[in-house]
Amino acid sequence: YGIYDSARNHGLVVVGISHETAQFAVAAIRRWWLRVGRVTYPQAEQLLIQADAGGANSSRSWLWKLAVQDFADEFDLSITVTHYPTSASKWNLIEHRLFSFITLNWAGQPLISYETVLKFIRTTKTENGLRVMAYLDTRFYATKLKVSREQKASINLIRHRTLPQWNYTIKPRKK
């Protein structure tokens, strides 16, 4: 799972050994926030996440929204999520400015171990200043979890007027 900060041209990639789940995706964002985000943006009260429409961070996934809600609550951040439409990842900056350079860096070399994968990601750099951090997440993430009606109702989700199925803000719940 990758996080790309377009303002700084820096990326963070988390390589997991378990499953790609909403919990894994948000754990990667949380790691970025703890290691980079809150240090770089100490006054931030909001975070913008531009995400693909499918996979662990699907625009239809209530597990994703619940995990984002927990993150928003933990750090008292309003989180705006905008999802790229299905099959529109070609416009996603993370594909062009992060993953493409990681792929060029390992240039078909065999990825024989997690350390090899992490090494290729961490050594990815460009003349334009791209720098990438990489971490291994060894936690197990359960699949087939369900979100109850009560959990759905507890999500402080505000859908945007424009394409509300893909654009929304999750605000921290009152303590």
Side-chain angles (χ1 to χ4, degrees):
Y1 197 88
I3 294 94
Y4 176 68
D5 182 342
S6 60
R8 295 177 59 241
N9 196 23
H10 285 191
L12 182 142
V13 176
V14 178
V15 175
I17 64 167
S18 180
H19 301 282
E20 181 198 5
T21 67
Q23 288 76 20
F24 171 68
V26 174
I29 295 167
R30 183 179 189 279
R31 183 180 297 247
W32 173 84
W33 182 251
L34 289 170
R35 306 257 169 143
V36 178
R38 71 179 181 177
V39 175
T40 306
Y41 306 105
Q43 304 301 317
E45 297 177 356
Q46 341 177 33
L47 185 63
L48 171 64
I49 298 173
Q50 295 176 308
D52 284 338
N57 54 316
S58 168
S59 59
R60 294 180 304 238
S61 171
W62 283 101
L63 282 168
W64 159 256
K65 291 175 179 105
L66 184 61
V68 171
Q69 179 69 69
D70 292 340
F71 178 78
D73 292 346
E74 180 179 1
F75 296 104
D76 198 32
L77 289 169
S78 290
I79 301 175
T80 296
V81 180
T82 61
H83 290 275
Y84 288 91
T86 303
S87 300
S89 64
K90 61 187 167 200
W91 292 296
N92 190 338
L93 292 180
I94 202 165
E95 300 291 335
H96 296 288
R97 295 190 184 167
L98 181 62
F99 291 141
S100 63
F101 291 107
I102 292 169
T103 303
L104 284 172
N105 190 40
W106 78 52
Q109 296 294 316
L111 301 176
I112 57 174
S113 69
Y114 288 119
E115 266 317 305
T116 302
V117 171
L118 294 170
K119 178 190 78 141
F120 279 120
I121 295 170
R122 288 176 182 145
T123 58
T124 299
K125 294 180 171 96
T126 67
E127 291 178 9
N128 292 331
L130 174 67
R131 299 295 179 264
V132 186
M133 299 176 358
Y135 297 94
L136 182 65
D137 186 338
T138 58
R139 287 175 283 185
F140 174 78
Y141 293 94
T143 59
K144 300 180 183 168
L145 298 175
K146 301 290 182 199
V147 177
S148 70
R149 282 188 192 148
E150 294 80 18
Q151 288 172 309
K152 284 181 188 178
S154 76
I155 299 172
N156 191 3
L157 182 125
I158 299 137
R159 293 190 183 277
H160 296 192
R161 269 196 204 139
T162 304
L163 300 169
Q165 72 275 25
W166 292 330
N167 302 311
Y168 50 86
T169 298
I170 295 178
K171 296 192 174 274
R173 294 178 274 212
K174 303 288 183 214
K175 295 183 179 174

